[in-house]
Amino acid sequence: MTKKILGLIFFCFLSLPAASAFIEGTEDLPQMDELLQIDDLSMSFDAPEGRILSFYQQSETLTQKQVEDFYRQTLPALGWTEVKKNTYERDMEQLNLTFEQNQNLLVVHIELKTNPS
């Protein structure tokens, strides 16, 4: 039984699109290889009521659709459910993706926050 579960987990991670690592400051939010984190704009806040993590990333080569497709494919394997376009929920947390295009630069804002009870 344990071998079957481990095999299933291994298979799930093999089927994920390529990600080099997780977003710095998180344990399980995948980072696309082509996205570069903008450290000066990113922040995290932890309190007894919950947390807020805010990450800004950029790419000169990716499109918004490619980023949306990446997260739409990878997040469900990590327990996230898409509740509306670019909004995901897991347990008591919500993850939002927003996008801004500045000439040839795509800026992605990833915000994770605890849902109010």
Side-chain angles (χ1 to χ4, degrees), residues 32 35 55-59 62-72 75 82 84-88 95-102 105-111:
M32 286 185 76
L35 283 176
F55 302 100
Y56 286 86
Q57 301 184 334
Q58 65 186 15
S59 174
L62 291 173
T63 66
Q64 178 175 333
K65 182 178 180 338
Q66 289 173 306
V67 176
E68 288 173 337
D69 290 346
F70 172 82
Y71 284 106
R72 190 171 293 115
L75 291 175
E82 188 171 20
K84 64 181 183 180
K85 185 175 181 176
N86 298 323
T87 300
Y88 298 84
L95 178 71
N96 293 299
L97 304 172
T98 54
F99 301 88
E100 185 178 325
Q101 187 75 44
N102 289 328
L105 187 67
L106 175 68
V107 177
V108 182
H109 180 211
I110 300 171
E111 182 181 60

